[in-house]
Amino acid sequence: MRQKSSLIKNKEAVKAMRTACGISSQLHTLSMTGAVVGLTEKELAQKISRVYETTEAGSWAYPMLVGAGSRTTIIHAQPTQKKIKENELVLIDMGVKYKGFASDITRTWPAGKKFTKEQKTIYDIVLKAQKEVIKATRPGETLTGLHALSKDILLEGLLRHKVIAKDELSEVFPHKTSHWIGRLVHDACPYFNEDETAVKLEAGMLFTVEPGLYLKKRKDKYNNIGIRIEDVVLVTEDGCEVISSVAKEVDEVEELRSY
């Protein structure tokens, strides 16, 4: 296991990760503009890949994930020949490497020009969880504490809208809120100290914030809604900075979709 010191990135590493996130953010923004209804998931991925080839990225950080409709509820959906339809959601999880350092960004958006009422309800819950976790990120906090906060906000929103029962959160949110990121998209750094206490955040650490909800095999209006919103954050001396930059507010996303 690597030593804790590897969690704190030097200035050169942070600069490289800013660039990687900048390139990935541009690719995500491109993917969110223009008509996609009628394209297959693979055709959308190919459109992004063609622009990727013109960037300064060294490589992809991981295979691009693209899911539409019911496939947004699959956490690691590799692009297929499924055609994207009106009123479906599109989820893209994509990041590049620059000078050996990775980025990792996810956005979910409507295939058409607007979220449906039900899609917006779930989207707002996920976005609130992400924003509150980012707001709470500062030195001394822990990823386990931030994950607990994320779960509390997701559960409150789902219960308020009567989407799930209190004991069903793990079924619709089966992954962690965060992971370390650096030379690897899931950086091989410890989450716990030798005494099994959670590693406390310090300035210079980078990790993702990616709450998600995956509603599948349901018999109600929320069926086949999968939403994940993911950014990379840098811990600073008094808080944190989001170093990825892609539209995520509903009005911003829908403005991009108003092609």
Side-chain angles (χ1 to χ4, degrees):
M1 181 178 292
R2 296 182 185 179
Q3 296 299 310
K4 179 183 173 183
S5 60
S6 65
L7 280 166
I8 301 174
K9 305 300 187 287
N10 61 31
K11 291 181 179 179
E12 290 74 20
V14 172
K15 183 178 180 181
M17 292 180 72
R18 286 184 188 278
T19 301
C21 284
I23 294 169
S24 298
S25 295
Q26 292 171 5
L27 293 172
H28 271 280
T29 300
L30 168 72
S31 75
M32 295 166 70
T33 59
V36 298
V37 173
L39 295 180
T40 66
E41 295 169 344
K42 281 191 173 182
E43 287 171 338
L44 179 54
Q46 288 164 358
K47 171 186 172 182
I48 298 165
S49 294
R50 286 193 293 271
V51 179
Y52 157 83
E53 295 292 342
T54 70
T55 71
E56 298 179 357
S59 66
W60 291 107
Y62 52 95
M64 187 191 316
L65 305 177
V66 180
S70 63
R71 287 175 37 77
T72 60
T73 66
I74 301 171
I75 295 175
H76 296 108
Q78 299 287 337
T80 68
Q81 294 294 346
K82 181 214 174 318
K83 285 194 174 183
I84 302 169
K85 300 177 182 178
E86 191 78 31
N87 293 326
E88 289 186 334
L89 290 170
V90 177
L91 186 154
I92 298 180
D93 187 335
M94 165 183 59
V96 306
K97 277 190 170 185
Y98 180 77
K99 293 187 176 179
F101 287 91
S103 57
D104 188 3
I105 304 170
T106 306
R107 287 294 185 270
T108 311
W109 39 273
K113 297 186 178 182
K114 299 281 186 181
F115 290 99
T116 67
K117 180 180 178 181
E118 292 75 24
Q119 290 167 354
K120 183 178 180 298
T121 294
I122 304 304
Y123 189 94
D124 284 343
I125 294 171
V126 176
L127 181 60
K128 180 180 180 181
Q130 201 220 26
K131 290 166 70 174
E132 289 299 316
V133 168
I134 291 169
K135 183 178 178 181
T137 297
R138 59 180 56 85
E141 186 54 86
T142 66
L143 294 191
T144 53
L146 294 176
H147 180 55
L149 173 62
S150 178
K151 291 196 297 181
D152 286 345
I153 296 168
L154 292 173
L155 181 60
E156 186 279 328
L158 292 168
L159 292 177
R160 177 160 38 88
H161 290 281
K162 300 179 180 179
V163 180
I164 64 168
K166 190 173 183 179
D167 61 349
E168 295 176 341
L169 182 62
S170 62
E171 296 177 18
V172 298
F173 180 41
H175 59 76
K176 298 296 186 183
T177 303
S178 301
H179 61 77
W180 304 123
I181 186 168
R183 287 194 175 276
L184 300 175
V185 68
H186 284 257
D187 216 5
C189 296
Y191 291 87
F192 295 92
N193 298 303
E194 291 183 1
D195 61 2
E196 298 187 356
T197 59
V199 170
K200 290 186 177 182
L201 299 181
E202 298 179 38
M205 293 179 176
L206 290 109
F207 61 94
T208 64
V209 179
E210 53 174 312
L213 291 172
Y214 312 91
L215 307 174
K216 55 187 173 181
K217 297 181 180 178
R218 300 172 61 89
K219 297 180 180 180
D220 62 9
K221 60 187 179 182
Y222 296 110
N223 188 43
N224 289 334
I225 295 178
I227 292 169
R228 183 165 66 253
I229 306 171
E230 178 181 23
D231 285 296
V232 178
V233 299
L234 167 68
V235 183
T236 62
E237 294 293 341
D238 57 359
C240 75
E241 176 190 353
V242 179
I243 65 169
S244 45
S245 178
V246 188
K248 59 185 176 183
E249 298 292 341
V250 168
D251 59 345
E252 295 174 341
V253 172
E254 291 185 340
E255 184 176 355
L256 284 176
R257 299 303 302 138
S258 62
Y259 48 88

